[in-house]
Amino acid sequence: NAGVTQTPKFQVLKTGQSMTLQCAQDMNHEYMSWYRQDPGMGLRLIHYSVGAGITDQGEVPNGYNVSRSTTEDFPLRLLSAAPSQTSVYFCASTRLGSYEQYFGPGTRLTVT
Amino acid sequence: KQEVTQIPAALSVPEGENLVLNCSFTDSAIYNLQWFRQDPGKGLTSLLLIQSSQREQTSGRLNASLDKSSGRSTLYIAASQPGDSATYLCAVWTGTASKLTFGTGTRLQVTL
């Protein structure tokens, strides 16, 4: 099993550009989520999904969009990048009922 | 709203010492508590998961305890080694919110 994979590992964007961060898992987990990690603020939940076709907002959803068309994939879209979105982004998955979280390696995003 | 606090924020100990990291949470309606390790610039590695019905979990030199009623968990590291140097994060899964809430972490340095 590859576990949770994320691409790209690093990305630099200019203000106003859009992009999609990819996340995939091969553990057949129902629940997937996106976090951002900023110094001094810990990890904060952006969006989450409890299954294909179902998504919901977390603490800091503004400026981000998600969809879940398959169990395996949960992409995060930045609609119009802003410097405040410079951060490290982590994707995670878990099986409902277990709630043990598995994290991907992260994407380091810089917006200039 | 669930809030998770970790004390101390940073800790430096000489090699060989036993140490305790603390985690407290405000809402005791949790499903589980998970301890993670994060090395600089890396992702999160799960160390221990304690279900809400459990009091402790052990893995090698690590022992985590949970007192749900008082909203506290401790991570005990025995015979610390320089390789234990990392940031340790605790996170709770709160059932009513269906999400994981993280503390801001304890940065541990074990010196020779």
Side-chain angles (χ1 to χ4, degrees):
Chain A
N1 284 355
V4 181
T5 58
Q6 291 183 237
T7 56
K9 286 190 169 53
F10 301 94
Q11 184 71 49
V12 179
L13 289 178
K14 294 190 188 313
T15 297
Q17 287 184 319
S18 63
M19 79 159 295
T20 299
L21 307 185
Q22 300 292 345
C23 174
Q25 52 91 11
D26 61 0
M27 297 173 281
N28 204 31
H29 286 168
E30 304 95 334
Y31 186 101
M32 296 185 74
S33 52
W34 278 100
Y35 295 83
R36 60 178 288 173
Q37 185 177 35
D38 303 291
M41 305 204 62
L43 280 92
R44 293 179 293 169
L45 182 66
I46 304 172
H47 285 286
Y48 65 97
S49 168
V50 297
I54 306 169
T55 63
D56 207 345
Q57 297 181 348
E59 296 175 71
V60 288
N62 292 341
Y64 307 96
N65 217 347
V66 292
S67 60
R68 183 104 178 264
S69 56
T70 67
T71 299
E72 294 78 20
D73 301 297
F74 191 43
L76 179 73
R77 296 182 189 83
L78 278 70
L79 308 172
S80 177
S84 60
Q85 294 178 305
T86 293
S87 187
V88 182
Y89 291 85
F90 289 101
C91 178
S93 75
T94 185
R95 182 174 57 81
L96 290 176
S98 158
Y99 305 112
E100 180 173 9
Q101 300 285 322
Y102 294 82
F103 279 80
T107 295
R108 189 173 296 272
L109 176 69
T110 301
V111 183
T112 60
Chain B
K1 178 188 169 187
Q2 180 73 271
E3 293 181 3
V4 181
T5 303
Q6 290 187 247
I7 294 172
L11 181 63
S12 181
V13 300
E15 181 181 15
E17 272 205 6
N18 303 325
L19 59 102
V20 173
L21 307 181
N22 297 293
C23 172
S24 61
F25 47 94
T26 54
D27 184 351
S28 61
I30 65 168
Y31 281 168
N32 63 38
L33 183 144
Q34 201 165 351
W35 282 94
F36 295 89
R37 169 188 172 134
Q38 186 175 31
D39 294 291
K42 303 292 186 186
L44 280 71
T45 301
S46 180
L47 298 173
L48 289 164
L49 172 75
I50 311 178
Q51 301 291 354
S52 63
S53 58
Q54 297 175 319
R55 295 300 300 266
E56 65 178 317
Q57 281 284 355
T58 298
S59 175
R61 294 183 294 108
L62 306 179
N63 176 277
S65 68
L66 174 64
D67 184 342
K68 207 172 75 154
S69 60
S70 68
R72 294 179 188 275
S73 175
T74 61
L75 179 67
Y76 175 83
I77 303 176
S80 58
Q81 303 170 356
D84 294 330
S85 298
T87 295
Y88 291 80
L89 297 160
C90 74
V92 296
W93 183 276
T94 307
T96 52
S98 294
K99 66 174 190 176
L100 199 64
T101 304
F102 279 87
T104 51
T106 294
R107 191 170 67 253
L108 173 66
Q109 183 174 14
V110 181
T111 58
L112 291 169

